[in-house]
Amino acid sequence: MLLFVSVSSKAKIKGLEKIDRLFNTYANSSLGMIDPEGIEALCSDLGVDYTDVRILMLAWKLKAEKQGYFTQDEWQTGLKALGVDSLSKLKKALSDLEKEVEKPSNYEDFYTYAFRYCLTEEKQKSVDIESICELLNLVLGVQFRPQIDSLIEYLKVQNDYKVINSDQWINFLRFCKEISFPDLENYDATQAWPLILDNYVEWMREKHS
Amino acid sequence: MSNQKKRIFQIEAFKNRVVVDPKYAEKTWKILEHAIHEIYNHNASGLSFEELYRNAYNMVLHKFGEKLYSGLVTTMTAHLKEISKSIEAAQGDLFLEELNRKWNDHNKALQMIRDMLMYMDRTYIPNTHKTPVHELGLTLWRDNIIHSGKIQSRLLSTLLELVHRERTGEVIDRGLMRNIVKMLMDLGSSVYQEDFEKPFLEVSAEFYRRESQKFIECYDCGDYLKKAEIRLNEEIERVTHYLDAKSEGKITHVVEKEMIANHMMRLVHMENSGLVNMLLNDKHGDLGRMYNLFRRVPNGLAMIRDVMTSHLRETGKQLVTDAERLKDPVEYVQRLLDEKEKYDGIISLAFSNDKTFQNALNSSFEYFINLNSRSPEFISLFVDDKLRKGLKGVSEEDVEIILDKVMMIFCYLQEKDVFEKYYKQHLAKRLLSGKTVSDDAERSLIVKLKTACGYQYTSKLEGMFTDMKTSQDTMQGFCSSHPELTDGPTLVVQVLTTGSWPTQPSITCHLPFEMSALCEKFRSYYLRIHTGRRLSWQTNMGTADIKAIFGKGQKHELNVSTYQMCILMLFNNADRLSYKEIEQVTAIPASDLKRCLQSMACVKGKNVLRKEPMSKDIGEDDSFFVNEKFASKFYKVKVGTVVAQKESEPEKQETRQRVEEDRKPQIEAAVVRIMKSRKVLDHNNIIAEVTKQLQSRFLANPTEIKKRIESLIEREFLERDNSDRKMYRYLA
C-alpha cells in the first residue's frame, strides 16, 4: 500500500528523509545496516519481543536477505511498501501486517521465506531440527496447534533426520492444510509425501493403536 | 389298289370325352391295396412290379392321387397296428429281436411300396405338399409302433436295462443294440434324443453318482482315478459301437461330472494317497492320469496347480529355513537343484509340459529361494565348490549341464547384485590361488551370466581373467629381462586392476629382506613399462611356498600365506619370539596376525610353530618357537587356507551394507534416466518404472526409492510440481 504518490519530488525526498532518519536510529554506523543489536532495540521500542513472529513478518515484508540484519535498501523499500515513516506508524502497521500475511496468496510465500531466512551460511540448504521446531511453532503454531505440537514431539524423538531441507519444510505446511487430524485418515504413504512424513504418520498410528 | 389317295397320317383327339369308369379308381386301388398286403405278408414275389406301377400311375394321372395316398396311409397304418401287437406280445429278451425284425421287414416293404408308387411320389406329393412315401412310412412307424403306449416305455426300459447290464460286466448283443438305436436315429434326431438319449443320460448320471460314491469310500486316490478312467473309456467305446456319435460328448460329460468334478476336492486332498503324496513319491503314472482326467472338468487343472503350488512353497520354505541345512551351503544348493529336477520331471512326464504348471513352478521357486537372504551367497559357494573340485574329471557336456542347472536357480534370485558381490570374492580367491578345476568351465559360466544379466554384469569378472593373463605375460617379460634372478627365491606377481577385483583395503606388511628386494625390482620393471600407474602390494592375498628343515632333519615344503611367510622367516634369525615382537617387525594387522599364528601353532598336523603357554587362543603375551618335532606324512604341507567360506555374521552384515550402498547410486541413475526422458511423471509411475528397470539386479524397495528421489530433489535434479503435488519434474 503506497501512500506516496509522486507529485513533487520534494515531498518524496522529505518522506524518504524520515525513513532514513529512522534507519539511522537503529543502524550500526560502521556496518551501514541494522544489526541484531539494532533489531533488538527496534523491537523493544515497538513493544514486541524480538522472538515475536511479527518481526519475522516484518523481515518478510522488507524482503530481508540475512537473518538479523536490515540493509538500508531493504528498510527503505519495506517501509515505503508499508506506507510508514515513523515508529508509531510502524507499530500500527505491524498488526495490519499480520492480516496481510494470513491472506492465502501471501501465506505460502511467507512460510517459504521463514525457512530461507534461517539459512545463515552460504550454500546452506538445511536447517537443524531444533531451529525447525522453534520455527514451526512460531509460524504455524497458532493456526495448527495440535498438529504442530505432535509434529514437534516426533521431530525431537526421531533420529533418521538431523536436518530438514526446504522440500520437507514446504510439505509440512501442505500436510497441515490437507491431512485431517488427528485421525490422519486421508494420508496416503504411497503418494509423493516426503519420507519423514511417512515415518511421522507411522509413529502417530503406532502411538494411537 | 386304285384311287388310294396318300393321306397324311393324323392322330385326332377323341371326339367324345372319355369318361373314366368311376369304379375304375376303386378297382385299381383294390389291386394296389392287395399288393401292399402281399408285401407285408412276405408274398411280394408273386407281384408284377410293372403292372402295379402302371396302376398307380394311372390313378394319379386320372386325378385319383388323393384316394391313392389316403388309401396308402390307411392300409399301412392297419398293418402297423398288427405289427405292433405282435411286438407287444414278445416275451422278455425276444422283444427287441422282434422289434428289430419287424423294423427290417417294414423297411423292405416300404422300399417296394415306394418304388411302386414312385410316380405319385414325384408328382402328386410335391404338388400337394404331402409327406413323401418313405418319410410317411417312417412317421407311421414312429407313431404306431415306437410311440404306442405299450411299446414306448418298454423299449426305453429294455435299452437302459441292457446298458446297465453291460456296465455291470455282462456281455450284451451289441449288434442288436446298434440296429435299434439306428432305427431311432433314422426316425429323426428328436426321436433319438427324446426316446432314448435324454433318459439314457439321466440314468447314467444316477448310476455314476452312486458308483462314484461307493468308490470314493473304498478306493484310494490312485485306484479311484484308474476306475474312473476305465469307465470313461468304456463309455467312449460304447458310443462307437452302438450309439450316435453326437452322444459321445454328452455321456463323457456325465461321467466327468459325476466321477471327477463332484469328488475333485476330496481326491486331491486324500490323506496318504492324494496329490501331495503322489508328488512326494514321484508317482508319474498316477499324476499323469489325474492330469488327463482333471483337464476335462472346469477348474480341474487349476485345483491341481494350486495344491501343487502351495505344497511346493511350503516344502521350499522349510528347505531354506532348515537350520541344519544352512550349515552346509553346498548341500543347501544341491537340495534346491534336486527339488527343481524332481518337479521338472513331474511336469514333463506327467503334466505334458503344461506351460501354466511351469509358471507355477517358477513362481514358487522364486518365492521361497528369496525367503532366505543368504541364497545368493550360498549359490556362489556351490559354484565355487564345483569349480574348485566338484567338476574334476567331469566331461565337458556334463559340466555344461550342471552349470545350466545352476543358472536356472540363479535366475530365480531377486538380489542378483548380492550374488555378483560374492561371486567376485570367490572368483578372486580361486584365480589367485590357482585353484580352479577348468578354465573353460569358468569362462562358460561367465558367458551364461552375461546372457542372463547383460554385459555390464560380467565386465568386471572378465576383467579379472584378463588381469591374470596379462600378469603371466608381464612375469615372462620380467624374468627374461632379469636373468640374474634365476637363483634365489622365485617371485610370481599378479597385477590386479583396481575396480575389477573385490577391494580389500589393507596395509602392506613388512616383507622379509629377500622378498622386498625382489619386489622392488619388479616394481621398477613394471613402472618402467607402465609409467603413470601406481602399484600397491596386497600382502593379505598372497601365498608362498617355503622349504623348511626341522630339528631332526625332516624336510618339508610348506605352502603358506604371505603373512605366514613373513612370520616364519623371522625364525631364521631368532629361536624365540614374542607376539609383540612379531607384530612389531611384520606390521601385520592384529586380527590377521592372530589367525595366522593360530593356524601355525594350534592346529594339529600344521603346527610348525610351538607356543607358550599352550592355550588354544593367541594371547598378546604368548611366545613362539619353531616346532622342532614337527611331523607330517606329507612332504608338502598346506598351512594357510585361502578357501572361500561361508561368511561369519559380522562379515555378512558388512557385505550386505556394501550392497545397500551400491544400490543407492543405481536407483538414482535409474530415476534420472527415467525423468530425463519423461520430463514430468507422477510418484507411482516412477516407483513402477524404477523397479522394472532394476529388476534384473535386485528388487528395489519403494521406501528406498523415495529416499533417493528426495535426495535428488535436494540436489536440484528434480523438483515437485507446484500445482500437482503427486508429480515430479525433471530439472535440466
Side-chain angles (χ1 to χ4, degrees), chain A residues 165 167 191-193 195 198, chain B residues 683 706 710 714 720 726:
Chain A
N165 63 29
D167 177 57
Q191 288 300 312
W193 289 102
L195 201 57
D198 289 346
Chain B
H683 183 81
K706 206 184 215 188
E710 280 180 29
E714 205 174 308
R720 286 186 212 273
K726 282 196 293 297

Side-chain angles (χ1 to χ4, degrees), chain A residues 11-178:
Chain A
K12 215 163 116 187
I13 293 170
K14 192 156 184 243
L16 215 54
E17 252 181 51
K18 283 180 88 178
I19 288 176
D20 282 341
R21 241 185 291 140
L22 199 55
F23 179 75
N24 290 325
T25 324
Y26 298 103
N28 180 323
S29 40
S30 50
L31 283 174
M33 53 175 126
I34 304 180
D35 66 1
E37 258 183 51
I39 293 188
E40 236 188 285
L42 173 65
C43 288
S44 97
D45 287 347
L46 286 171
V48 294
D49 193 61
Y50 87 92
T51 54
D52 194 303
V53 67
R54 283 172 285 177
I55 296 302
L56 185 58
M57 291 179 183
L58 180 62
W60 169 74
K61 193 70 187 171
L62 262 51
K63 300 203 206 301
E65 286 266 332
K66 195 165 160 149
Q67 189 187 65
Y69 295 86
F70 294 147
T71 68
Q72 185 156 24
D73 272 333
E74 289 165 356
W75 181 264
Q76 280 176 357
T77 324
L79 262 65
K80 266 203 273 179
L82 282 171
V84 304
D85 57 4
S86 72
L87 197 62
S88 52
K89 285 195 198 148
L90 184 57
K91 208 165 171 177
K92 188 161 172 297
L94 273 187
S95 47
D96 290 336
L97 193 56
E98 268 186 84
K99 290 198 196 64
E100 186 183 340
V101 163
E102 264 157 43
K103 273 197 248 163
S105 48
N106 289 327
Y107 194 69
E108 198 166 313
D109 190 57
F110 169 69
Y111 179 78
T112 324
Y113 174 83
F115 181 83
R116 271 207 315 277
Y117 198 59
C118 292
L119 302 174
T120 45
E121 306 299 319
E122 215 187 298
K123 298 208 178 164
Q124 184 182 356
K125 291 223 176 107
S126 324
V127 179
D128 64 285
I129 290 283
E130 269 298 318
S131 309
I132 287 289
C133 289
E134 275 174 35
L135 199 64
L136 277 173
N137 193 27
L138 194 66
V139 169
L140 296 180
V142 171
Q143 200 177 352
F144 299 107
R145 177 53 49 201
Q147 287 96 315
I148 291 304
D149 279 349
S150 161
L151 185 57
I152 289 178
E153 188 191 334
Y154 172 70
L155 289 173
K156 292 198 170 143
V157 172
Q158 59 84 37
N159 40 26
D160 293 314
Y161 295 92
K162 302 222 166 35
V163 293
I164 297 292
N165 63 29
S166 64
D167 177 57
Q168 289 161 316
W169 173 256
I170 196 68
N171 277 286
F172 287 154
L173 175 63
R174 284 179 179 156
F175 180 85
C176 290
K177 276 166 51 177
E178 292 176 27

Side-chain angles (χ1 to χ4, degrees), chain B residues 386 388-394 437:
Chain B
K386 288 281 170 247
R388 205 180 262 282
K389 49 180 160 59
L391 291 177
K392 198 168 187 161
V394 176
V437 141

Side-chain angles (χ1 to χ4, degrees), chain B residues 2-121:
Chain B
S2 59
N3 290 347
Q4 255 194 339
K5 277 194 226 153
K6 263 221 170 128
R7 274 197 280 184
I8 302 164
F9 190 64
Q10 281 180 315
I11 298 181
E12 290 174 350
F14 283 121
K15 290 224 168 51
N16 26 328
R17 273 201 95 220
V18 175
V19 176
V20 179
D21 182 358
K23 290 220 178 80
Y24 166 78
E26 189 59 36
K27 262 198 281 182
T28 318
W29 167 243
K30 278 286 178 246
I31 297 172
L32 290 168
E33 189 186 30
H34 173 77
I36 294 175
H37 286 317
E38 292 296 270
I39 289 171
Y40 272 107
N41 293 331
H42 304 111
N43 274 339
S45 52
L47 301 170
S48 158
F49 172 75
E50 194 271 325
E51 185 192 323
L52 294 168
Y53 183 88
R54 200 170 8 103
N55 278 312
Y57 171 84
N58 281 330
M59 275 195 81
V60 174
L61 196 64
H62 291 119
K63 311 270 187 262
F64 288 108
E66 172 70 43
K67 184 173 173 62
L68 176 58
Y69 191 84
S70 55
L72 170 66
V73 173
T74 317
T75 316
M76 216 187 265
T77 307
H79 272 284
L80 288 176
K81 285 212 189 323
E82 284 291 314
I83 291 169
S84 172
K85 283 204 192 76
S86 88
I87 294 174
E88 282 163 34
Q91 296 289 337
D93 290 341
L94 297 172
F95 171 72
L96 270 194
E97 282 177 35
E98 183 67 10
L99 176 61
N100 188 37
R101 197 191 354 247
K102 292 293 183 217
W103 164 251
N104 288 335
D105 290 347
H106 174 71
N107 273 319
K108 286 206 197 86
L110 194 53
Q111 174 99 337
M112 285 189 248
I113 293 168
R114 208 260 326 254
D115 287 346
M116 191 168 86
L117 304 178
M118 193 161 316
Y119 188 73
M120 179 183 74
D121 225 9

